[in-house]
Amino acid sequence: MHEFSLMEATLELVSELVPTHSIDQIISLTLRVGEASGVVPEALGFAFEALAEQLPYSSAKLKIELVPVRCCCQSCQFTFAPESFIYECPNCGNLHAEVLQGKELELVSIELDSWNSLSPAPVSMELN
């Protein structure tokens, strides 16, 4: 279950981004998870619960935004949402498509109690 190590890395990043005196005031973390990232959102949530209970912000909630797969056909440049794991262009039938979105795993926001939400530039972990 690589979601456990991904969540460990995410929580380490949160600890680096949030000032130490405010870390106990984290309300929620928002992650953007691509449908083709290979990450199982439920397993990520389980890893968060297991790891966060040992940290100062154990009451924090994890919010996960699923990102659908979007592709661009390399032949006709048509942008589409694939209907299966075979990324066939519905416009021309070509099987060579560039994935535009859907593989990402990003930390997009940290909601704090004492400040406004901290929205770092999205921090991506590329999953190929």
Side-chain angles (χ1 to χ4, degrees), residues 2-79:
H2 72 288
E3 285 82 357
F4 196 85
S5 60
L6 291 171
M7 186 51 66
E8 281 181 317
T10 300
L11 294 176
E12 285 176 23
L13 180 61
V14 168
S15 296
E16 292 173 15
L17 291 172
V18 178
T20 306
H21 65 277
S22 299
I23 205 159
D24 62 341
Q25 298 173 18
I26 294 175
I27 307 252
S28 68
L29 307 175
T30 303
L31 296 178
R32 189 174 295 138
V33 179
E35 289 179 344
S37 66
V39 175
V40 178
E42 293 80 12
L44 201 60
F46 176 77
F48 175 77
E49 289 176 17
L51 291 167
E53 72 180 24
Q54 304 165 18
L55 299 171
Y57 43 95
S58 61
S59 63
K61 303 293 181 217
L62 177 65
K63 298 176 184 177
I64 296 177
E65 298 173 358
L66 289 177
V67 180
V69 178
R70 297 285 302 164
C71 296
C72 181
C73 177
Q74 292 181 347
S75 179
C76 71
Q77 305 308 309
F78 184 72
T79 300

Side-chain angles (χ1 to χ4, degrees), residues 35-36 67-91 94-104:
E35 289 179 344
V67 180
V69 178
R70 297 285 302 164
C71 296
C72 181
C73 177
Q74 292 181 347
S75 179
C76 71
Q77 305 308 309
F78 184 72
T79 300
F80 63 97
E83 295 183 14
S84 72
F85 291 108
I86 299 172
Y87 299 162
E88 179 180 357
C89 177
N91 189 49
N94 192 321
L95 294 175
H96 300 286
E98 175 186 359
V99 177
L100 302 175
Q101 71 175 37
K103 288 188 164 187
E104 58 268 75

